[in-house]
Amino acid sequence: MARGRRRKLHLSKIYTFACGKPSVKDHDQIGQPGFSRVVFCNEPDHYEAKIRNYADNYVRTTKYTLASFLPKSLFEQFRRVANFFFLVTGILSFTDVAPYSAISAILPLTIVIAATMVKEGVEDWHRKQQDIEVNNRNVKVHNGDGTFHDTEWRNLKVGDIVRVEKDQFFPADILLLSSSYEDGACYVETMNLDGETNLKLKQALEATSSLSEDSDFQDFKAVIRCEDPNAHLYTFVGTMELEERHCPLNPQQLLLRDSKLRNTDYIYGAVIFTGHDTKVIQNSTDAPSKRSKVEKKMDKLIYLLFFVLFVISFIGSIIFGIITKDDLQNGRMKRWYLRPDDTTVFYDPKKAPIAAILHFLTAVMLYTYFIPISLYVSIEIVKVLQTIFINQDIHMYDEETDKPAHARTSNLNEELGQVDTILSDKTGTLTCNSMEFIKCSVAGTAYGRGITEVERAMAKRKGSPLANGVNSNDKAEDAKSGKSLVKGFNFKDERIMHGNWVNEPHADVIQGFLRLLAICHTAIPEVDEETGHVSYEAESPDEAAFVIAARELGFEFYKRTQTTISIHELDLVSGKKVERVYDLLNVLEFNSTRKRMSVIVRNQEGKLLLLCKGADSVMFERLDKNSLDFEEDTRNHVNQYADAGLRTLILAYRELDEGEYVEFNKKFIEAKSSVSADREALIDEVTERMERNLVLIGATAVEDKLQHGVPDCIDKLAQAGIKIWVLTGDKMETAINIGFACSLLRQGMKQIIISLETPDIKALEKVEDKDVVTKASKECVLQQITTGKTQVTGSSEAYALIIDGKSLAYALQDDVKNLFLELAIGCASVICCRSSPKQKALVTRMVKLGTGKTTLAIGDGANDVGMLQEADIGIGISGVEGMQAVMSSDVSIAQFQYLQRLLLVHGHWCYRRISTMICYFFYKNITFGFTLFLYEAHAAFSGQPAYNDWFMTFYNVFFTSLPPIALGVFDQDVSARFCLKFPLLYQEGVQNVLFNWRRILSWMFNGVYSAMIIFFFCIRALDSEAFNSAGKTVGREILGTTMYTCLVWVVNCQMALTINYFTLIHHIFIWGSIALWYLFLIAFGAMSPSISSTAYQVFVEALAPAPTFWFLILFVVISALVPFYAYSALQMRFYPMYHGMIQWLRLEGQTDDPEYCNMVRQRSIRPQTVGVSARRVAR
């Protein structure tokens, strides 16, 4: 069935990667191990295909299946040492050594494990829903009779012929057969694969490109032999056997799953790899497992409690064994009530060692209550709720992009409050990655009157009028528009705009400059049929800015075919707009090695032109030595633009003669036709010869603006004591000036610059071999680092360290990196320029391991993924460079400015809440466990618990579980406004003052003290005295219930004293837990004695009527809590911590008193040396 007229293309003459016909000799490995896949196109049910049993196209990302959920989830739960310990004690509870009933031991473990498994199940169910949505997407598949029908992705088989429409995702790895373009080309967006937003061009084989209709596939048969499934995204080797022809295949024919068809109406393709065999799924790896430092220390605390548990059990068992041995001496019984003359092995004096061993097991089981069984599940619940608050924070929602903050993991919430060093990308993170054409230099004349943010910052340093924003010609216009009227174009100069360039002295050069901007690119125009407006799809924001600038200045690129570029341009002679068509012969593409791109075109007069643009580092050396009329002026302008924080490119051209071009094109095609390992090197060698003796035209300058709020955000983070490093691929000059603009650098700050751009090294590079240059370079870097360290050591001045990529490679070597890190730590700011993605990750690892402090990396591009995964916390900016960084991050935000709220507010709150919550958990369990220990010691270590079995079971599950969760979710020491106003509060997390060993042990001591108060006061108050008016004395059931009631009151009231910010939920959970205990005691006591045992009617008949019970509770609670209250009050009054000082400010109404606030700020542990505030102080 016809689908409209096909577009005409002739790709074979253009793209360097699109046209070669690989020689069959390079595919000799087909059929060998690793290259054994055979695909029968249009015959998915071929008998041989069934024998090979290829994977189906159903993709599963869930962690569990219905069958594996129970065993796998249980295995995950019992990998935790605490859970495994409780499982062992639960099993032992079925034996006679257990001090309590089996069900009371198993039930709390069951509840905790079940709650965690439910959470795991819900999370996996969400993944299942996503899988269902993806697998049920529709695609058109060939029926076998020349027609196509819709089917779900999951039903596809290897060999199926599919038809994919524009803007649809590819359902599997597909071999491109043909497209809506005549030459079988198509455009593909690979953002989901590599994070790049630019379009890639794919090319079908010439043998199949004529299959343009649905009906053409009725009799189509072919056999593809290719490589086996693998994770290499950019390689593919195979051959197609079609009508007795063998056609070599390469990556240009492979369309990968999850990439999208763009700017192409439709394509036909054969399914090669399905489901988990596709390259994108083969590349799927689990993100590195990250755990917070608080959680790691919590594990150590658990191990400490295990040690304490075993020690006291061991000591108690020894004492028990000694006492048991002495129970029967010469027929006299000391503990006659145990009948040592006629007893079981547990109390037999003749078998005292065995009795001691059995008692050890009993004691271990009894003291399990030292270990907070519900701690892990409570923390998981709290962290999930905390991430919901982060995700719902309206102050971190970006309205322009409609993107909120998104915490992709809840494991690192408290880590956000302990960041010591931030390592940031520049482009797209500190800046917008939205380029604007703002200045240019043509024929040695500078054009463009716009003022960049960096220039304003520089003017501030020099006291120039520009610092006040004075630009009289544009001020009113800027005030009205607030931003550039045309996205990507912020150029203002009446000498060139509105066609006035024709009156300039070098009008012909300006014409060539604008024409080059309009022609030398790979952008794709899209014309709005209603308005006629032309927009562009470009490989990068820079390239889009160039074609937009050409359009706005009179050279409108509006149409591209694979052999021509059409432009509406202003004719220099007639002064009118004319349409000119240029034959596009070759595109010599940009890459990071070449640092330039060129096109070869033929104009309407028949002239052959090579148009080239590239970095100044590679372009100036390629200029014709006889055409350097304005090279010096252009160099000066480029340096000025770099100083202004602009990204620059040099533009040049050369006229070619016909013979020269024919010879080049022959060699070029030969180089492209190779699929050997040195193919790229062959192409570079050929193009190198052509891109010589160029005639300079001028230079462009585009601005990548700072994101809104970046300087203020950096200032707040610096006030918080956080160090900020910038890792960028930009030139040193650009990075330095961006540093000034965002206040990382300031006037008067001394700069330590480590660079290999020295005359000695350059001279060596020209004459010496590689080994000599390497040795000299390393010595040079080492000397510069040593000199810098000498400057920094003992100096009170602020230093900035700036290092380039070549030097960084040596600084990161094992024998140098420690010295380099010491220098960097001593500097206020660190900027690493020309850094590769690998270097970014290595620097991050060096800082993380070298300092032992929490590191945070933030970036927005695929080149930042290694850095984000290496850091303790990875923050992805959901910008314009795709979603790769976001998908690899722990938290994503829309703009850098939101980092201050994420860290200073949510990070501080989460750190404080989690730290206090963990300390409280250990406090309440030590209080409970130590009362058990004291009672057992009181009972001669007989293994008898003080409390009813079910009292012990429900202590962690019901009566003390909810208040710490409320604290972990809602507590605030100060409000968000004060967190931002006094960033020094964040230093509590940086110093870890809320979860250091001193604070942890003080909470533990508080637990021991509370347990002693509860036990000894209850014992002494109730021992050997009438308990009520009937003269009844106290038994174990009354003593145990009274102690337990005091315990519930004390630990819940302790929570009330700990909370800083009461909400209704706090009140309900704290007082509700106490009320729940009384309700439980009444209801449980009303049950049959066979169930309630020692608790039968104990409250109603014995405790409630006795005034002693109520007075004792009041006395015990006050006595247990007074020391904590007194200590907190004294500390708050005389030695307040940071949050305490801010609470005093708020209480006394002095939050707006500059003098008092400044006094509080001076308590900072780290003097502020960067940021806007430091700049003001330096004045």
PDB file of all heavy atoms in Angstrom, residues 948 951 1032 1037-1038 1041 1081-1103:
ATOM      1  N   ASN A 948       5.441  -9.993  80.898  1.00  0.00           N
ATOM      2  CA  ASN A 948       4.629 -10.953  80.163  1.00  0.00           C
ATOM      3  C   ASN A 948       5.165 -11.066  78.723  1.00  0.00           C
ATOM      4  O   ASN A 948       5.643 -10.096  78.146  1.00  0.00           O
ATOM      5  CB  ASN A 948       3.176 -10.469  80.154  1.00  0.00           C
ATOM      6  CG  ASN A 948       2.248 -11.425  79.452  1.00  0.00           C
ATOM      7  OD1 ASN A 948       2.214 -11.471  78.229  1.00  0.00           O
ATOM      8  ND2 ASN A 948       1.475 -12.176  80.221  1.00  0.00           N
ATOM      9  N   PHE A 951       3.795  -8.536  76.332  1.00  0.00           N
ATOM     10  CA  PHE A 951       4.274  -7.172  76.587  1.00  0.00           C
ATOM     11  C   PHE A 951       5.583  -6.953  75.816  1.00  0.00           C
ATOM     12  O   PHE A 951       5.774  -5.917  75.177  1.00  0.00           O
ATOM     13  CB  PHE A 951       4.527  -6.961  78.084  1.00  0.00           C
ATOM     14  CG  PHE A 951       3.298  -6.972  78.945  1.00  0.00           C
ATOM     15  CD1 PHE A 951       2.042  -7.181  78.400  1.00  0.00           C
ATOM     16  CD2 PHE A 951       3.399  -6.785  80.316  1.00  0.00           C
ATOM     17  CE1 PHE A 951       0.911  -7.206  79.205  1.00  0.00           C
ATOM     18  CE2 PHE A 951       2.277  -6.796  81.131  1.00  0.00           C
ATOM     19  CZ  PHE A 951       1.036  -7.016  80.577  1.00  0.00           C
ATOM     20  N   LYS A1032      -2.442  -6.930 100.186  1.00  0.00           N
ATOM     21  CA  LYS A1032      -1.826  -7.818  99.203  1.00  0.00           C
ATOM     22  C   LYS A1032      -0.409  -7.328  98.863  1.00  0.00           C
ATOM     23  O   LYS A1032      -0.191  -6.139  98.650  1.00  0.00           O
ATOM     24  CB  LYS A1032      -2.682  -7.865  97.937  1.00  0.00           C
ATOM     25  CG  LYS A1032      -2.150  -8.838  96.906  1.00  0.00           C
ATOM     26  CD  LYS A1032      -3.079  -8.886  95.697  1.00  0.00           C
ATOM     27  CE  LYS A1032      -2.541  -9.872  94.661  1.00  0.00           C
ATOM     28  NZ  LYS A1032      -3.412  -9.952  93.478  1.00  0.00           N
ATOM     29  N   GLU A1037       3.857 -10.524  88.510  1.00  0.00           N
ATOM     30  CA  GLU A1037       2.941  -9.964  87.511  1.00  0.00           C
ATOM     31  C   GLU A1037       2.680  -8.482  87.760  1.00  0.00           C
ATOM     32  O   GLU A1037       2.620  -7.676  86.820  1.00  0.00           O
ATOM     33  CB  GLU A1037       1.626 -10.767  87.485  1.00  0.00           C
ATOM     34  CG  GLU A1037       0.717 -10.617  88.709  1.00  0.00           C
ATOM     35  CD  GLU A1037       1.197 -11.414  89.907  1.00  0.00           C
ATOM     36  OE1 GLU A1037       2.209 -12.148  89.786  1.00  0.00           O
ATOM     37  OE2 GLU A1037       0.546 -11.310  90.970  1.00  0.00           O
ATOM     38  N   ILE A1038       2.523  -8.095  89.039  1.00  0.00           N
ATOM     39  CA  ILE A1038       2.273  -6.686  89.362  1.00  0.00           C
ATOM     40  C   ILE A1038       3.546  -5.869  89.169  1.00  0.00           C
ATOM     41  O   ILE A1038       3.520  -4.776  88.579  1.00  0.00           O
ATOM     42  CB  ILE A1038       1.744  -6.540  90.800  1.00  0.00           C
ATOM     43  CG1 ILE A1038       0.350  -7.178  90.915  1.00  0.00           C
ATOM     44  CG2 ILE A1038       1.699  -5.072  91.211  1.00  0.00           C
ATOM     45  CD1 ILE A1038      -0.234  -7.148  92.308  1.00  0.00           C
ATOM     46  N   THR A1041       4.214  -5.495  85.359  1.00  0.00           N
ATOM     47  CA  THR A1041       3.283  -4.579  84.685  1.00  0.00           C
ATOM     48  C   THR A1041       3.545  -3.141  85.098  1.00  0.00           C
ATOM     49  O   THR A1041       3.467  -2.215  84.279  1.00  0.00           O
ATOM     50  CB  THR A1041       1.831  -4.981  85.007  1.00  0.00           C
ATOM     51  OG1 THR A1041       1.638  -6.364  84.708  1.00  0.00           O
ATOM     52  CG2 THR A1041       0.859  -4.143  84.193  1.00  0.00           C
ATOM     53  N   LEU A1081      -3.869  -3.327  77.871  1.00  0.00           N
ATOM     54  CA  LEU A1081      -3.769  -3.981  79.175  1.00  0.00           C
ATOM     55  C   LEU A1081      -5.151  -4.404  79.672  1.00  0.00           C
ATOM     56  O   LEU A1081      -5.324  -5.502  80.227  1.00  0.00           O
ATOM     57  CB  LEU A1081      -3.122  -3.017  80.177  1.00  0.00           C
ATOM     58  CG  LEU A1081      -2.632  -3.603  81.502  1.00  0.00           C
ATOM     59  CD1 LEU A1081      -1.680  -4.759  81.273  1.00  0.00           C
ATOM     60  CD2 LEU A1081      -1.960  -2.503  82.335  1.00  0.00           C
ATOM     61  N   ILE A1082      -6.140  -3.549  79.430  1.00  0.00           N
ATOM     62  CA  ILE A1082      -7.511  -3.889  79.837  1.00  0.00           C
ATOM     63  C   ILE A1082      -8.045  -5.035  78.982  1.00  0.00           C
ATOM     64  O   ILE A1082      -8.607  -6.018  79.501  1.00  0.00           O
ATOM     65  CB  ILE A1082      -8.419  -2.652  79.730  1.00  0.00           C
ATOM     66  CG1 ILE A1082      -7.975  -1.587  80.746  1.00  0.00           C
ATOM     67  CG2 ILE A1082      -9.885  -3.032  79.948  1.00  0.00           C
ATOM     68  CD1 ILE A1082      -8.660  -0.235  80.540  1.00  0.00           C
ATOM     69  N   ALA A1083      -7.910  -4.912  77.662  1.00  0.00           N
ATOM     70  CA  ALA A1083      -8.460  -5.925  76.757  1.00  0.00           C
ATOM     71  C   ALA A1083      -7.733  -7.259  76.911  1.00  0.00           C
ATOM     72  O   ALA A1083      -8.368  -8.327  76.972  1.00  0.00           O
ATOM     73  CB  ALA A1083      -8.345  -5.431  75.314  1.00  0.00           C
ATOM     74  N   PHE A1084      -6.415  -7.212  76.988  1.00  0.00           N
ATOM     75  CA  PHE A1084      -5.638  -8.444  77.117  1.00  0.00           C
ATOM     76  C   PHE A1084      -5.891  -9.105  78.471  1.00  0.00           C
ATOM     77  O   PHE A1084      -5.983 -10.335  78.580  1.00  0.00           O
ATOM     78  CB  PHE A1084      -4.151  -8.118  76.943  1.00  0.00           C
ATOM     79  CG  PHE A1084      -3.259  -9.325  76.902  1.00  0.00           C
ATOM     80  CD1 PHE A1084      -3.407 -10.291  75.913  1.00  0.00           C
ATOM     81  CD2 PHE A1084      -2.245  -9.504  77.841  1.00  0.00           C
ATOM     82  CE1 PHE A1084      -2.583 -11.398  75.866  1.00  0.00           C
ATOM     83  CE2 PHE A1084      -1.418 -10.611  77.805  1.00  0.00           C
ATOM     84  CZ  PHE A1084      -1.586 -11.566  76.806  1.00  0.00           C
ATOM     85  N   GLY A1085      -6.035  -8.284  79.529  1.00  0.00           N
ATOM     86  CA  GLY A1085      -6.306  -8.821  80.859  1.00  0.00           C
ATOM     87  C   GLY A1085      -7.674  -9.451  80.978  1.00  0.00           C
ATOM     88  O   GLY A1085      -7.910 -10.279  81.868  1.00  0.00           O
ATOM     89  N   ALA A1086      -8.572  -9.070  80.081  1.00  0.00           N
ATOM     90  CA  ALA A1086      -9.924  -9.632  80.117  1.00  0.00           C
ATOM     91  C   ALA A1086     -10.007 -10.997  79.439  1.00  0.00           C
ATOM     92  O   ALA A1086     -11.028 -11.680  79.535  1.00  0.00           O
ATOM     93  CB  ALA A1086     -10.893  -8.662  79.455  1.00  0.00           C
ATOM     94  N   MET A1087      -8.941 -11.350  78.731  1.00  0.00           N
ATOM     95  CA  MET A1087      -8.958 -12.643  78.045  1.00  0.00           C
ATOM     96  C   MET A1087      -8.725 -13.777  79.026  1.00  0.00           C
ATOM     97  O   MET A1087      -8.364 -13.565  80.175  1.00  0.00           O
ATOM     98  CB  MET A1087      -7.871 -12.667  76.954  1.00  0.00           C
ATOM     99  CG  MET A1087      -8.110 -11.702  75.824  1.00  0.00           C
ATOM    100  SD  MET A1087      -6.801 -11.812  74.575  1.00  0.00           S
ATOM    101  CE  MET A1087      -7.350 -10.536  73.441  1.00  0.00           C
ATOM    102  N   SER A1088      -8.909 -14.982  78.545  1.00  0.00           N
ATOM    103  CA  SER A1088      -8.736 -16.184  79.367  1.00  0.00           C
ATOM    104  C   SER A1088      -7.327 -16.249  79.932  1.00  0.00           C
ATOM    105  O   SER A1088      -6.365 -15.858  79.245  1.00  0.00           O
ATOM    106  CB  SER A1088      -9.014 -17.429  78.511  1.00  0.00           C
ATOM    107  OG  SER A1088      -8.563 -18.581  79.176  1.00  0.00           O
ATOM    108  N   PRO A1089      -7.169 -16.715  81.171  1.00  0.00           N
ATOM    109  CA  PRO A1089      -5.828 -16.836  81.756  1.00  0.00           C
ATOM    110  C   PRO A1089      -4.883 -17.699  80.915  1.00  0.00           C
ATOM    111  O   PRO A1089      -3.665 -17.520  80.969  1.00  0.00           O
ATOM    112  CB  PRO A1089      -6.086 -17.473  83.114  1.00  0.00           C
ATOM    113  CG  PRO A1089      -7.489 -17.095  83.443  1.00  0.00           C
ATOM    114  CD  PRO A1089      -8.228 -17.073  82.134  1.00  0.00           C
ATOM    115  N   SER A1090      -5.444 -18.602  80.131  1.00  0.00           N
ATOM    116  CA  SER A1090      -4.582 -19.430  79.277  1.00  0.00           C
ATOM    117  C   SER A1090      -3.899 -18.600  78.184  1.00  0.00           C
ATOM    118  O   SER A1090      -2.869 -18.989  77.644  1.00  0.00           O
ATOM    119  CB  SER A1090      -5.414 -20.547  78.626  1.00  0.00           C
ATOM    120  OG  SER A1090      -6.430 -19.987  77.809  1.00  0.00           O
ATOM    121  N   ILE A1091      -4.506 -17.456  77.881  1.00  0.00           N
ATOM    122  CA  ILE A1091      -3.928 -16.556  76.873  1.00  0.00           C
ATOM    123  C   ILE A1091      -3.154 -15.429  77.545  1.00  0.00           C
ATOM    124  O   ILE A1091      -2.005 -15.168  77.234  1.00  0.00           O
ATOM    125  CB  ILE A1091      -5.029 -15.969  75.968  1.00  0.00           C
ATOM    126  CG1 ILE A1091      -5.745 -17.095  75.208  1.00  0.00           C
ATOM    127  CG2 ILE A1091      -4.451 -14.937  75.001  1.00  0.00           C
ATOM    128  CD1 ILE A1091      -6.932 -16.628  74.396  1.00  0.00           C
ATOM    129  N   SER A1092      -3.811 -14.759  78.506  1.00  0.00           N
ATOM    130  CA  SER A1092      -3.205 -13.580  79.131  1.00  0.00           C
ATOM    131  C   SER A1092      -2.197 -13.942  80.207  1.00  0.00           C
ATOM    132  O   SER A1092      -1.358 -13.118  80.573  1.00  0.00           O
ATOM    133  CB  SER A1092      -4.303 -12.697  79.725  1.00  0.00           C
ATOM    134  OG  SER A1092      -5.064 -13.409  80.677  1.00  0.00           O
ATOM    135  N   SER A1093      -2.269 -15.148  80.728  1.00  0.00           N
ATOM    136  CA  SER A1093      -1.368 -15.657  81.788  1.00  0.00           C
ATOM    137  C   SER A1093      -1.193 -14.622  82.908  1.00  0.00           C
ATOM    138  O   SER A1093      -2.158 -14.267  83.567  1.00  0.00           O
ATOM    139  CB  SER A1093      -0.023 -16.088  81.177  1.00  0.00           C
ATOM    140  OG  SER A1093       0.645 -14.978  80.615  1.00  0.00           O
ATOM    141  N   THR A1094       0.001 -14.081  83.099  1.00  0.00           N
ATOM    142  CA  THR A1094       0.249 -13.206  84.239  1.00  0.00           C
ATOM    143  C   THR A1094      -0.444 -11.848  84.132  1.00  0.00           C
ATOM    144  O   THR A1094      -0.463 -11.085  85.100  1.00  0.00           O
ATOM    145  CB  THR A1094       1.759 -12.965  84.393  1.00  0.00           C
ATOM    146  OG1 THR A1094       2.262 -12.379  83.182  1.00  0.00           O
ATOM    147  CG2 THR A1094       2.504 -14.263  84.679  1.00  0.00           C
ATOM    148  N   ALA A1095      -1.004 -11.556  82.993  1.00  0.00           N
ATOM    149  CA  ALA A1095      -1.665 -10.261  82.814  1.00  0.00           C
ATOM    150  C   ALA A1095      -3.166 -10.325  83.092  1.00  0.00           C
ATOM    151  O   ALA A1095      -3.870  -9.313  82.954  1.00  0.00           O
ATOM    152  CB  ALA A1095      -1.443  -9.746  81.386  1.00  0.00           C
ATOM    153  N   TYR A1096      -3.661 -11.479  83.497  1.00  0.00           N
ATOM    154  CA  TYR A1096      -5.100 -11.637  83.682  1.00  0.00           C
ATOM    155  C   TYR A1096      -5.626 -10.688  84.754  1.00  0.00           C
ATOM    156  O   TYR A1096      -5.235 -10.770  85.931  1.00  0.00           O
ATOM    157  CB  TYR A1096      -5.423 -13.088  84.045  1.00  0.00           C
ATOM    158  CG  TYR A1096      -6.893 -13.342  84.244  1.00  0.00           C
ATOM    159  CD1 TYR A1096      -7.761 -13.323  83.155  1.00  0.00           C
ATOM    160  CD2 TYR A1096      -7.414 -13.583  85.513  1.00  0.00           C
ATOM    161  CE1 TYR A1096      -9.122 -13.556  83.326  1.00  0.00           C
ATOM    162  CE2 TYR A1096      -8.769 -13.812  85.696  1.00  0.00           C
ATOM    163  CZ  TYR A1096      -9.626 -13.787  84.602  1.00  0.00           C
ATOM    164  OH  TYR A1096     -10.971 -13.991  84.773  1.00  0.00           O
ATOM    165  N   GLN A1097      -6.477  -9.751  84.350  1.00  0.00           N
ATOM    166  CA  GLN A1097      -7.147  -8.777  85.214  1.00  0.00           C
ATOM    167  C   GLN A1097      -6.181  -7.998  86.116  1.00  0.00           C
ATOM    168  O   GLN A1097      -6.602  -7.411  87.124  1.00  0.00           O
ATOM    169  CB  GLN A1097      -8.208  -9.486  86.103  1.00  0.00           C
ATOM    170  CG  GLN A1097      -9.329 -10.148  85.343  1.00  0.00           C
ATOM    171  CD  GLN A1097     -10.233  -9.148  84.639  1.00  0.00           C
ATOM    172  OE1 GLN A1097     -10.166  -7.941  84.895  1.00  0.00           O
ATOM    173  NE2 GLN A1097     -11.098  -9.615  83.745  1.00  0.00           N
ATOM    174  N   VAL A1098      -4.905  -7.977  85.737  1.00  0.00           N
ATOM    175  CA  VAL A1098      -3.922  -7.356  86.621  1.00  0.00           C
ATOM    176  C   VAL A1098      -4.146  -5.854  86.738  1.00  0.00           C
ATOM    177  O   VAL A1098      -3.918  -5.256  87.797  1.00  0.00           O
ATOM    178  CB  VAL A1098      -2.487  -7.682  86.142  1.00  0.00           C
ATOM    179  CG1 VAL A1098      -2.173  -6.972  84.830  1.00  0.00           C
ATOM    180  CG2 VAL A1098      -1.459  -7.279  87.197  1.00  0.00           C
ATOM    181  N   PHE A1099      -4.599  -5.224  85.674  1.00  0.00           N
ATOM    182  CA  PHE A1099      -4.786  -3.776  85.726  1.00  0.00           C
ATOM    183  C   PHE A1099      -6.087  -3.420  86.450  1.00  0.00           C
ATOM    184  O   PHE A1099      -6.113  -2.589  87.367  1.00  0.00           O
ATOM    185  CB  PHE A1099      -4.798  -3.189  84.313  1.00  0.00           C
ATOM    186  CG  PHE A1099      -4.997  -1.698  84.296  1.00  0.00           C
ATOM    187  CD1 PHE A1099      -3.984  -0.837  84.703  1.00  0.00           C
ATOM    188  CD2 PHE A1099      -6.204  -1.129  83.872  1.00  0.00           C
ATOM    189  CE1 PHE A1099      -4.165   0.538  84.694  1.00  0.00           C
ATOM    190  CE2 PHE A1099      -6.393   0.235  83.867  1.00  0.00           C
ATOM    191  CZ  PHE A1099      -5.374   1.079  84.272  1.00  0.00           C
ATOM    192  N   VAL A1100      -7.152  -4.082  86.048  1.00  0.00           N
ATOM    193  CA  VAL A1100      -8.476  -3.744  86.599  1.00  0.00           C
ATOM    194  C   VAL A1100      -8.554  -4.076  88.081  1.00  0.00           C
ATOM    195  O   VAL A1100      -9.058  -3.273  88.890  1.00  0.00           O
ATOM    196  CB  VAL A1100      -9.582  -4.480  85.816  1.00  0.00           C
ATOM    197  CG1 VAL A1100     -10.944  -4.248  86.470  1.00  0.00           C
ATOM    198  CG2 VAL A1100      -9.596  -4.030  84.361  1.00  0.00           C
ATOM    199  N   GLU A1101      -8.051  -5.233  88.477  1.00  0.00           N
ATOM    200  CA  GLU A1101      -8.223  -5.682  89.857  1.00  0.00           C
ATOM    201  C   GLU A1101      -7.094  -5.250  90.790  1.00  0.00           C
ATOM    202  O   GLU A1101      -7.323  -5.023  91.973  1.00  0.00           O
ATOM    203  CB  GLU A1101      -8.342  -7.209  89.886  1.00  0.00           C
ATOM    204  CG  GLU A1101      -9.595  -7.732  89.206  1.00  0.00           C
ATOM    205  CD  GLU A1101      -9.729  -9.239  89.322  1.00  0.00           C
ATOM    206  OE1 GLU A1101      -8.816  -9.857  89.919  1.00  0.00           O
ATOM    207  OE2 GLU A1101     -10.723  -9.805  88.805  1.00  0.00           O
ATOM    208  N   ALA A1102      -5.874  -5.111  90.254  1.00  0.00           N
ATOM    209  CA  ALA A1102      -4.739  -4.850  91.147  1.00  0.00           C
ATOM    210  C   ALA A1102      -4.174  -3.443  91.002  1.00  0.00           C
ATOM    211  O   ALA A1102      -3.980  -2.736  92.003  1.00  0.00           O
ATOM    212  CB  ALA A1102      -3.645  -5.880  90.893  1.00  0.00           C
ATOM    213  N   LEU A1103      -3.912  -3.004  89.779  1.00  0.00           N
ATOM    214  CA  LEU A1103      -3.162  -1.765  89.594  1.00  0.00           C
ATOM    215  C   LEU A1103      -4.026  -0.513  89.644  1.00  0.00           C
ATOM    216  O   LEU A1103      -3.697   0.451  90.354  1.00  0.00           O
ATOM    217  CB  LEU A1103      -2.403  -1.819  88.255  1.00  0.00           C
ATOM    218  CG  LEU A1103      -1.344  -2.922  88.135  1.00  0.00           C
ATOM    219  CD1 LEU A1103      -0.700  -2.887  86.764  1.00  0.00           C
ATOM    220  CD2 LEU A1103      -0.290  -2.765  89.219  1.00  0.00           C
TER     221      LEU A1103
END
